[in-house]
Amino acid sequence: MHHFNYRDGELYCEEVPLQKIAEAAGTPTYVYSAATLTRHFQAFDESFRNLDHLTCFSVKALSNLAVLRLFANLGGGFDIVSGGELYRVEKAGGDTRKVVFSGVSKTEAELDYALSKDILMFNVESEGELELLNRVAAKAGKKARVALRINPDVDPKTHPHISTGLKSNKFGIEPEKARAIFRDFKRYASLELTGLDCHIGSQLLQMEPIMEVLSHLVELVVELREAGLVIKYLDLGGGLGISYNNEQPPLPAEYGREISAVAKETGCTLILEPGRVIVGNAGILLLKVVFLKETGAKRFVIADGGMNDLIRPALYGAYHEVLPVLEQAASKNNIVDLVGPICESADFLAKDRPFPMVKPGELLAVMSAGAYGFVMASNYNTQPLPAEVLVSGKEFHVVRTRQSYEHLLASERIPEFLLKDRG
Ligand code: LLP
């Protein structure tokens, strides 16, 4: 469910026509619906109501300050993977004590920063990281709360680029190695073992691999408890998929019910790190058609945004539905590639797609672009980053202005020796 719907033949976000947003903010622009974000967060969180739990929104999926603030207002915690993301949470007014920190490459400075903000726990991914965190915590005269991220070697049955729980992946620690670390945990005088963590992949469409991982974790908690170690938190990561093109992922209610039933027996506080399921269908990318072009082989609809704004189709062959802002019947014979301005043949947002007969100047909405959309946008071809707009009822707010040319070049310098050589 989301709040992007046609009214009298025109596409709206909540109570606002997208046309109006394009006039005010230009294109390309990401548009998010506050009502959808709120509803998705609450539905997800509610599905774990029978269990002590914390929903930590995965900041990497959509990190705009306004969106983070919205989740903070709903009582959410945050899953971060960098010092930069922690800084965002702080600036958005989020509670840093509700932050879990994942990622394989945390630096000393990032660990120190997170420790100073008293985050809930570090999801540690290697022995090297344990050593470093122990040193950083000792230096700061603090104890760092730690969960070990387990790599369970379970196939999540998703795109290989977004699988993270196979032993060939760089993430987590193999169960046998984790057991050895647990046995010897006392050697880390400045660490407190508080949790077990796992995240096997993204866009998961079946419960089975999730439940398989959960049962491994539950077994491990029991085993550790018998060995006298207290495991307070069980972090199951994120990964629940959404429907981009008629996929049928488990509903949050089912996901919550099934996980809660099994996790309950551990007595642990459950931590969830959802990203896509909360924000994916709450955002669209608004584009304008610039040209139509026909070759002997193809028809192209050329828009003012492309892989620089939304890289998912180029990177994963991902499908995003594309709707004209002014409703019209998609002609079955009009098969097009929707492409952008970038000088790469991978620059497409839709391929061989039945498409309405649009004209230059018309607006298009690339649907389900809320997750891993803006956050993966780049300045390739020196294209400015798009604007972001948050809609709430009849109101809309530009929550990130479009990057200007000055902004784009602001951190670059020409060194003196080159300036002198000018004849
Ligand atoms: N927790 C951890 C440790 C993660 O690495 C991720 C995502 C999440 C939570 C949130 O997963 P979600 O609920 O959103 O599936 N760029 C790719 C997705 C990469 C996911 C990376 N990790 C895409 O566009 O499909």
Side-chain angles (χ1 to χ4, degrees), residues 122-351:
F122 294 85
N123 290 341
V124 171
E125 308 227 15
S126 64
E127 283 170 292
E129 188 186 335
L130 278 175
E131 301 283 348
L132 180 60
L133 181 57
N134 191 45
R135 278 206 305 278
V136 171
K139 215 158 131 193
K142 291 190 173 153
K143 268 214 161 190
R145 288 177 289 271
V146 161
L148 286 197
R149 176 165 176 180
I150 306 295
N151 182 322
D153 195 26
V154 166
D155 183 357
K157 303 194 173 81
T158 184
H159 192 287
H161 287 186
I162 51 178
S163 292
T164 47
L166 286 167
K167 64 177 177 214
S168 54
N169 299 137
K170 67 177 174 178
F171 300 97
I173 301 171
E174 302 139 87
E176 270 326 297
K177 193 169 267 176
R179 282 188 171 87
I181 293 172
F182 290 132
R183 276 197 295 273
D184 203 18
F185 205 81
K186 284 205 180 67
R187 62 188 287 244
Y188 301 111
S190 299
L191 304 185
E192 179 192 342
L193 180 65
T194 47
L196 282 186
D197 165 51
C198 198
H199 170 78
I200 56 167
S202 197
Q203 183 58 3
L204 307 180
L205 297 172
Q206 298 168 30
M207 282 308 291
E208 185 218 316
I210 301 168
M211 297 312 287
E212 190 185 332
V213 165
L214 180 59
S215 74
H216 285 314
L217 291 183
V218 169
E219 258 171 47
L220 203 49
V221 171
V222 172
E223 189 187 315
L224 293 173
R225 225 169 246 163
E226 281 166 5
L229 291 163
V230 183
I231 301 295
K232 204 164 156 204
Y233 296 103
L234 190 57
D235 183 339
L236 208 52
L240 185 56
I242 63 169
S243 180
Y244 286 98
N245 184 20
N246 300 324
E247 297 94 335
Q248 293 191 317
L251 292 174
E254 178 191 352
Y255 179 81
R257 189 173 354 98
E258 288 197 26
I259 290 172
S260 300
V262 176
K264 210 168 188 148
E265 62 194 76
T266 63
C268 291
T269 297
L270 193 64
I271 294 185
L272 291 315
E273 304 173 357
R276 189 188 319 261
V277 68
I278 311 278
V279 298
N281 287 325
I284 61 129
L285 173 61
L286 189 59
L287 303 176
K288 191 177 274 177
V289 177
V290 183
F291 298 114
L292 303 177
K293 179 168 172 175
E294 224 172 307
T295 67
K298 286 256 183 191
R299 282 181 174 170
F300 294 101
V301 173
I302 305 175
D304 57 359
M307 70 186 289
N308 52 315
D309 301 301
L310 178 64
I311 202 173
R312 303 193 68 259
L315 198 54
Y316 317 114
Y319 178 96
H320 285 263
E321 189 181 10
V322 181
L323 296 176
V325 167
L326 294 180
E327 195 173 20
Q328 30 181 302
S331 149
K332 287 263 178 292
N333 305 324
N334 191 28
I335 307 287
V336 309
D337 283 7
L338 172 63
V339 299
I342 300 300
C343 296
E344 299 252 0
S345 290
D347 182 21
F348 64 89
L349 295 174
K351 232 184 181 133

Side-chain angles (χ1 to χ4, degrees), residues 86 90 96-97 112-120 142:
L86 181 56
E90 234 194 303
T96 56
R97 291 164 310 171
D112 194 41
Y113 172 32
L115 205 54
S116 77
K117 293 296 157 191
D118 199 22
I119 66 162
L120 181 58
K142 291 190 173 153

